[in-house]
């Protein structure tokens, strides 16, 4: 029953968000949707044995930008909205056994996605060319394993092929901040302990809605 | 964790430069644990290292089908939910390993079951095609026993269907391709550590009739499909295929031609399939494999050998040894490795699972005993984890993007399959078609007593 309730809440929230998105679309901001190819996400961590990484290629969501910013980017606060999500299962370590451990640690069955919501974005300085790179100081909510934390992150934006935007950035996080116990699986004869500190980095390709196949 | 990415691209220099036993373990993705690293009293987290379960079904519950069921019952995430055979006593016997499975006489009915996710096809080889194609069309992951089929046309049809079903996992029962020991050994061959490949030799000797008995004479006839040329690809197709496939894999080429010989020496009981066969398979660059397979004598059982200008490699019972030439370069680590004596030769043990030895430092010189798990175990593990991983990849993609973009999904899945392959490798439709073509043509050479030259297009999907 609990799961059903959670599912309901999640669906209901999603419906609200979609409604909100529909309202926002009316204000003429340019919407860029996540593209199914070219995105990369990487999680880097440590353990008592050696460093490890998990890689993914699925980053969903959208970004909306104030057309005023598109016309003449000025340093300072930028009108922008963004929602990003990454399916936990799409993160691969290269070892099925470790993927399984990570998915359990991140409570994937209840919280199948890592989510991010932008709350504030400001341009650090005018870019050298209209194509960028643009550097932003951002603030937003990062939701991992159902736990929300506010994070600040330096994000770089580049324009490609006119209609495409590539965002990249990285942020350190502590697993315990999100209620995740650093996995210490017993593999073979040894206990492998993973470190609490990990780094998430990403390259995210988005494209103007008109250009997508939808 | 991604160290094995460059495994196949390694060159000999890198290989020898880093050739300590620990490095070899690392290259295989293993974790070298020495006695002093062993944890004292620490408690780990309770996360499981096995992935999500896959509901399995077996079609064809004869001797080999039941062997598969037995092995599946040892896996923690492979519940068998359905079994199918036209012969009821086989279903009854299968229940020992799959007590909860629903039984079917008609495989079409089994394929209608929604909860069945992965299907094993272990029927007589000549019956594979329709079942495999129907199973793929029903959206099931498929593990098809080797050979794929008994004709090149059927084998190609299966491979094409598997290629077209990109959202599903397709695996062929060439379990040696999943054997960690052979992957470990492959590096010695591919990196040139054994010198230039000169030739290969392999054998399978077992004194047994290959005949199966039943109180039901009609059933007995069906069960002995292997003994009739009309339904059987012969010893080379049913058994030799695996070792021929190993040779093509290790030598890294398609065969150029094959000659073959066969005779009915011991079991002249009305069958028309030879009980003793010998083939010479030629590869580019004058490299040849000589292979013999017999039901008349059991001496030295089965093994494969690769001869290079610096060393010979032998693999038997999923264990391997290297026999070095006196003038070959010193690799370093072999000084400390265990040696086994084979009559007058000293074999340096090449132990892929040395990571599992309790105290590598102390006991590396002792025989590890028989391999803990069989190649079949690893093959089934690969099937379960790849099938679930591909299903979840399709779901994750569909929940994030527009699925009408078939090209992007195909690209994504190709990347996922590549990652999975490095972790738990398997033989896919391409390897299946190549091995089946090689074995069927070798059988043709045996039966006709003629040399068969391979056409490049036989190996292609068309």
């Amino acid at each position: 029953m609990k799961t059903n309730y959670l599912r309901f809440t999640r669906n209901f929230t999603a419906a609200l968000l979609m409604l909100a998105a529909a309202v926002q679309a009316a204000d003429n901001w340019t919407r860029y949707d996540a593209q199914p190819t070219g995105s990369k996400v990487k999680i880097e961590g440590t353990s008592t044995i050696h460093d490890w990484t998990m890689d993914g290629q699925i980053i969903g969501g959208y970004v909306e930008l104030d057309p005023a910013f598109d016309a003449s980017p000025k340093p300072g606060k930028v009108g922008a909205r963004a929602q990003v999500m990454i399916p936990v299962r799409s993160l691969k370590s290269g070892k099925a056994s470790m993927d399984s451990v990570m998915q359990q640690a991140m409570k994937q069955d209840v919280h199948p996605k890592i989510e991010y919501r932008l709350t504030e974005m400001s341009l650090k300085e005018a870019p050298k060319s209209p194509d960028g790179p643009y550097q932003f100081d951002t603030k937003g909510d990062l939701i991992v394993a159902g736990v929300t934390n506010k994070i600040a992150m330096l994000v770089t934006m580049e324009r490609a092929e006119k209609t495409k935007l590539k965002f990249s950035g990285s942020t350190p996080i502590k697993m315990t901040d999100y209620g995740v116990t650093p996995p210490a699986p017993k593999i073979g004869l040894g206990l492998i302990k993973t470190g609490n500190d990990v780094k998430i980095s990403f390259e995210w390709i988005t494209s103007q809605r008109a250009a997508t196949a939808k | 964790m991604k160290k094995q990415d460059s495994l196949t691209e390694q060159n000999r220099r890198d290989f020898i430069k880093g050739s300590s036993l620990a490095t070899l373990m690392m290259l295989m993705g293993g974790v070298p644990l020495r006695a002093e690293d062993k944890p004292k009293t620490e408690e780990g987290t309770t996360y499981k290292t096995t992935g999500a379960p896959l509901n399995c079904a077996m079609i064809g519950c004869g001797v080999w089908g039941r062997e598969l069921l037995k092995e599946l019952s040892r896996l923690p995430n492979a519940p068998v939910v359905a079994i199918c055979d036209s012969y009821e006593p086989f279903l009854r016997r299968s229940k020992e390993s799959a007590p909860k499975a629903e039984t079917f006489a008609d495989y079409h009915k089994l394929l209608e079951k929604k909860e069945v996710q992965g299907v094993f096809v272990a029927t007589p080889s000549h019956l594979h095609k329709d079942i495999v194609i129907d199973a793929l069309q029903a959206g099931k992951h498929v593990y098809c026993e080797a050979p794929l089929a008994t004709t090149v046309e059927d084998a190609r049809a299966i491979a094409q269907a598997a290629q077209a079903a990109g959202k599903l996992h397709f695996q062929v029962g060439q379990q040696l391709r999943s054997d960690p020991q052979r992957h470990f050994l492959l590096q010695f061959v591919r990196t040139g550590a054994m010198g230039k490949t000169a030739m290969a030799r392999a054998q399978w000797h077992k004194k047994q009739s290959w005949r199966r008995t039943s109180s039901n004479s009609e059933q007995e006839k069906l069960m002995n499909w292997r003994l009739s040329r009309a339904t059987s690809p012969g010893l080379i197709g049913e058994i030799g295929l695996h070792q021929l496939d190993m040779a093509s894999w290790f030598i890294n080429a398609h065969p150029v031609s094959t000659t073959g010989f066969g005779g009915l020496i011991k079991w002249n009981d009305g069958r028309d399939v030879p009980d003793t066969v010998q083939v010479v398979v030629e590869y580019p660059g004058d490299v040849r494999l000589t292979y013999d397979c017999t039901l008349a004598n059991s001496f030295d059982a089965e093994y494969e050998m690769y001869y290079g200008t610096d060393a010979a490699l032998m693999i038997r019972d999923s264990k391997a040894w290297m026999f070095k030439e006196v003038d070959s370069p010193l690799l370093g680590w072999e000084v400390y490795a265990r040696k086994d004596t084979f009559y007058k030769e000293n074999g340096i043990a090449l132990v892929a699972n040395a990571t599992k030895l309790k105290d590598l430092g102390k006991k590396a010189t002792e025989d590890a005993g028989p391999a803990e798990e069989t190649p079949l175990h690893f093959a089934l593990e690969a099937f379960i984890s790849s099938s679930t991983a591909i299903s979840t990849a399709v779901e994750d993609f569909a929940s994030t993007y527009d699925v009408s973009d078939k090209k992007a999904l195909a690209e994504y899945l190709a990347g996922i399959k590549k990652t999975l392959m490095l972790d738990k490798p398997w033989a896919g439709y391409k390897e299946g078609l190549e091995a089946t073509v090689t074995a069927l043509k070798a059988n043709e050479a045996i039966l006709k007593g003629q040399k068969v030259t391979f056409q490049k297009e036989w190996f292609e999907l068309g």
Side-chain angles (χ1 to χ4, degrees), chain B residues 162-323:
Chain B
Q163 185 188 36
K167 287 193 234 170
L168 297 168
H169 177 57
F170 179 83
Q171 187 170 330
V172 187
Q174 284 156 232
Q175 61 269 20
L176 300 183
R177 291 263 186 173
S178 301
D179 182 15
Q181 177 68 66
R182 282 176 171 86
H183 279 269
F184 179 72
L185 194 61
L186 185 66
Q187 301 175 90
F188 287 85
V189 181
R190 292 276 178 87
T191 58
M194 70 166 202
K196 191 180 172 198
T197 308
M199 57 183 188
R201 195 158 68 74
Q203 69 167 52
W204 188 92
H205 295 174
K206 207 171 212 176
K207 192 171 177 183
Q208 57 165 224
S209 74
W210 236 30
R211 180 172 284 285
R212 279 161 187 167
T213 52
S214 167
S215 51
N216 176 336
S217 67
E218 197 51 38
Q219 178 60 27
E220 183 165 301
K221 210 175 152 206
L222 287 174
M223 275 160 73
N224 284 305
W225 58 275
R226 290 190 301 181
L227 304 182
S228 162
R229 287 186 192 186
T231 46
S232 172
L235 278 175
I236 201 82
E238 287 293 316
I239 289 167
L241 173 140
H242 295 277
Q243 288 164 303
L244 261 45
D245 179 41
M246 286 297 102
S248 301
W249 187 34
F250 275 50
I251 293 165
N252 204 13
H254 287 156
V256 176
S257 71
T258 174
T259 36
F261 313 91
L264 206 41
I265 311 294
K266 163 74 183 149
W267 307 100
N268 205 345
D269 54 5
R271 72 181 70 183
D272 60 2
V273 166
D275 62 14
T276 301
V277 300
Q278 289 156 292
V279 296
V280 179
V281 182
E282 187 178 340
Y283 290 91
D286 277 340
V287 175
R288 290 178 192 83
L289 161 80
T290 53
Y291 178 70
D292 43 75
C293 189
T294 182
L295 301 170
N297 180 289
S298 50
F299 179 70
D300 238 3
E302 56 184 292
Y303 61 85
E304 298 126 54
M305 297 230 37
Y306 300 90
Y307 300 87
T309 50
D310 285 333
L313 297 172
M314 174 166 70
I315 181 148
R316 57 198 306 161
D317 297 341
S318 285
K319 292 207 254 170
W321 291 266
M322 176 160 65
F323 302 86

Side-chain angles (χ1 to χ4, degrees), chain B residues 24-65:
Chain B
L24 287 172
M25 296 307 124
M26 288 305 296
L27 288 169
M28 287 310 294
V31 180
L33 288 174
R34 295 193 155 270
E36 47 275 25
D37 292 339
K38 270 204 301 182
K40 307 277 184 300
T41 52
E42 288 168 300
E43 283 293 307
T45 46
T46 52
Y47 303 128
K48 287 180 297 190
T49 51
T50 46
L54 183 83
N55 290 334
C56 299
M58 184 69 57
I59 300 177
C61 297
V63 174
W64 188 249

Side-chain angles (χ1 to χ4, degrees), chain A:
Chain A
M1 278 320 281
K2 192 179 172 199
T3 328
N4 280 343
Y5 173 71
L6 283 170
R7 200 169 291 145
F8 168 73
T9 317
R10 206 159 58 224
N11 290 344
F12 186 63
T13 316
L16 274 184
L17 286 171
M18 274 164 72
L19 194 68
V23 173
Q24 285 164 0
D27 63 16
N28 241 353
W29 286 21
T30 325
R31 179 168 162 130
Y32 294 84
D33 283 312
Q35 289 305 292
T37 46
S39 292
K40 284 178 212 158
V41 55
K42 193 187 228 18
I43 300 184
E44 292 166 275
T46 59
S47 82
T48 44
I49 301 284
H50 45 53
D51 294 349
W52 53 267
T53 60
M54 297 192 84
D55 293 291
Q57 279 98 44
I58 296 187
I59 308 179
Y62 67 88
V63 174
E64 285 173 344
L65 289 176
D66 185 345
F69 168 78
D70 267 353
S72 63
K74 289 188 191 75
K77 216 165 169 186
V78 176
R81 304 181 194 105
Q83 288 218 29
V84 183
M85 60 197 176
I86 297 166
V88 171
R89 288 187 309 201
S90 70
L91 299 168
K92 305 278 182 198
S93 69
K95 284 270 162 210
S97 50
M98 177 163 166
D99 294 350
S100 170
V101 167
M102 263 307 172
Q103 285 164 20
Q104 289 162 76
M106 291 170 76
K107 306 172 189 82
Q108 184 273 334
D109 52 341
V110 194
H111 306 289
K113 284 180 175 167
I114 294 173
E115 291 174 70
Y116 175 80
R117 291 184 198 125
L118 181 74
T119 50
E120 205 182 306
M121 181 160 118
S122 38
L123 182 65
K124 282 174 79 110
E125 55 185 336
K128 291 192 181 75
S129 97
D131 288 341
Y134 298 78
Q135 293 224 307
F136 301 100
D137 281 318
T138 67
K139 281 181 188 160
D141 294 330
L142 180 64
I143 310 165
V144 179
V147 177
T148 308
N149 279 301
K150 294 208 176 302
I151 61 160
M153 178 164 53
L154 185 68
V155 173
T156 304
M157 182 185 98
E158 287 160 274
R159 281 184 197 279
E161 304 167 32
K162 268 194 166 176
T163 55
K164 282 190 176 176
L165 292 180
K166 179 175 131 183
F167 294 90
S168 53
S170 75
T171 183
I173 67 166
K174 282 189 192 305
M175 292 195 212
T176 45
D177 286 351
Y178 296 87
V180 173
T181 313
K186 218 166 159 21
I187 291 176
L189 295 153
L191 189 67
I192 303 171
K193 283 185 141 183
T194 49
N196 191 16
D197 292 299
V198 298
K199 189 176 110 181
I200 303 183
S201 49
F202 66 89
E203 278 180 36
W204 187 35
I205 311 291
T206 62
S207 179
Q208 266 186 48
R209 181 167 256 189
T212 67
K214 251 181 182 169

